[in-house]
Amino acid sequence: MIPIVYLNGAFLPLTEAKISVLDRGFLLADGVYEVIPAYGKHFFRLRAHLDRLEYSLQGIHLENPMSLNQWQSILQQLLLQNEGLDQAVYLQITRGVAPRDHAFPKGIQPTVFAMSNPIKPVPEYWLQRGISTITLEDIRWQWCHIKSIALLANVLLRQEAVATGMQEAILLKDDQVTEGAASNVFIVTGDQLRTPPVSSELLSGITRDLVLELAREANISCKETKISTHDLYHADEIWLTSSTREILPVTTLNGALVGTGKPGAKWQQLNHYYQAYKEKIRLGMYQN
Ligand code: PDD
């Protein structure tokens, strides 16, 4: 079955969705995006994702082309029109189509695109054995709080990890951890869970927020605080979080074992709560 996508007011088969080569997303990466998971056709923290979308749009001085209700209706229709109980909706807004010029053009309509794909389950052996990571210098721009479609640096960093047989790159700036190429970073040191505080150096992950919430509910001590390279190397556990990969235990860093070299006890505990939360979404027990 050909997936149904949304493009500028219409639902149509993916193969018929076309945009101009003058689109500023294509020529200048002038746009923002979101990735929103849904379980059992129920969205995971939709409101939080749409709030972050609004924040990203404000960051690039682009007016939100839709109200909250309009977004909810479009995205819900997309879920229903596509196969799979568990899906990840991708949505993107660019400044629109205009002759190429860096400055904003006047009087054009933004391009609004959304598609939905079945969520690829995280490989079981990643959860059993944990994943491998490398540290790389964070070469990205200074506004990483905006979920910009300009992902070339993230692409190169992830690729460098993958090319060396790793699953993710953990990024370092001035001897501090920022985030992963497409994920947020947590460490466990002793009894304490830590993640870098929200700033313009990283994306405020929706999964990150939920992990903090679940940890606080479970009375796990957690702190949003800077993580130095030294802290990272000496952590008992390292986790990576994102909408599509959930919470992943990291068991090697630059070829050395993290902690015992097995997914840690705190990860087991938090992942259990996370999976339980997801199950409640799947059963429609949370409205968001
Ligand atoms: N990316 N940091 C970066 C740079 C990311 O690209 C992502 C997710 C995250 C985690 O955010 P969240 O928990 O809201 O998914 C952090 C998505 C999944 C992507 O680009 O496909």
Side-chain angles (χ1 to χ4, degrees):
M1 193 184 117
I2 299 168
I4 299 297
V5 302
Y6 173 90
L7 181 62
N8 296 332
F11 289 92
L12 70 176
L14 175 66
T15 43
E16 288 171 28
K18 304 270 188 289
I19 57 156
S20 165
V21 290
L22 291 184
D23 193 278
R24 289 176 64 91
F26 179 59
L27 292 179
L28 301 161
D30 184 1
V32 296
Y33 77 107
E34 273 297 325
V35 178
I36 315 171
Y39 302 103
K41 305 248 180 212
H42 299 286
F43 278 110
F44 179 97
R45 303 217 147 183
L46 180 60
R47 182 59 200 264
H49 279 279
L50 292 176
D51 286 350
R52 187 173 65 184
L53 176 68
E54 177 68 43
Y55 180 70
S56 294
L57 285 166
Q58 283 176 15
I60 66 161
H61 310 290
L62 184 55
E63 200 180 319
N64 197 332
M66 308 279 175
S67 67
L68 216 54
N69 283 345
Q70 285 171 318
W71 277 122
Q72 279 164 344
S73 153
I74 290 167
L75 300 178
Q76 198 65 47
Q77 286 182 64
L78 205 57
L79 272 193
L80 296 177
Q81 292 193 38
N82 283 289
E83 278 177 354
L85 285 177
D86 295 353
Q87 299 176 43
V89 169
Y90 174 90
L91 71 88
Q92 168 171 320
I93 304 159
T94 75
R95 208 175 301 278
V97 177
R100 187 176 180 280
D101 181 5
H102 287 62
F104 297 172
K106 289 205 174 74
I108 60 165
Q109 293 297 315
T111 302
V112 181
F113 172 66
M115 63 179 168
S116 183
N117 293 294
I119 291 185
K120 273 196 256 152
V122 172
E124 197 48 41
Y125 70 94
W126 286 11
L127 304 177
Q128 300 297 333
R129 287 187 233 148
I131 64 160
S132 303
T133 55
I134 46 169
T135 52
L136 291 175
E137 191 197 336
D138 192 344
I139 53 167
R140 303 172 304 158
W141 72 332
Q142 294 181 26
W143 285 2
C144 294
H145 56 295
I146 296 173
K147 204 162 170 58
S148 155
I149 61 170
L151 288 174
L152 185 56
N154 305 64
V155 165
L156 295 175
L157 291 161
R158 169 66 70 83
Q159 183 54 32
E160 194 167 335
V162 169
T164 48
M166 314 283 166
Q167 281 77 42
E168 180 61 308
I170 295 182
L171 310 181
L172 302 173
K173 192 182 243 178
D174 302 329
D175 210 32
Q176 308 282 335
V177 174
T178 55
E179 57 181 338
S183 54
N184 292 113
V185 178
F186 284 79
I187 65 167
V188 175
T189 306
D191 274 342
Q192 194 173 61
L193 182 61
R194 290 198 265 167
T195 192
V198 168
S199 75
S200 59
E201 291 182 345
L202 56 101
L203 186 75
S204 177
I206 307 299
T207 322
R208 173 190 178 280
D209 282 351
L210 179 58
V211 166
L212 285 171
E213 250 178 69
L214 294 174
R216 285 177 182 137
E217 273 170 29
N219 287 324
I220 295 171
S221 150
C222 49
K223 220 169 167 188
E224 293 173 71
T225 183
K226 290 195 177 226
I227 297 174
S228 68
T229 313
H230 179 272
D231 299 334
L232 183 72
Y233 283 127
H234 292 87
D236 297 314
E237 298 184 29
I238 302 176
W239 313 341
L240 299 175
T241 65
S242 74
S243 294
T244 42
R245 292 178 163 192
E246 308 182 348
I247 316 173
L248 289 180
V250 174
T251 45
T252 78
L253 178 71
N254 296 337
L257 295 185
V258 175
T260 61
K262 296 203 174 86
K266 281 269 186 304
W267 173 79
Q268 304 276 4
Q269 190 186 359
L270 236 296
N271 191 47
H272 175 79
Y273 295 138
Y274 187 86
Q275 296 304 326
Y277 184 94
K278 251 177 67 185
E279 209 40 48
K280 286 190 181 160
I281 291 193
R282 190 173 275 123
L283 297 171
M285 288 166 70
Y286 286 125
Q287 292 300 318
N288 58 101

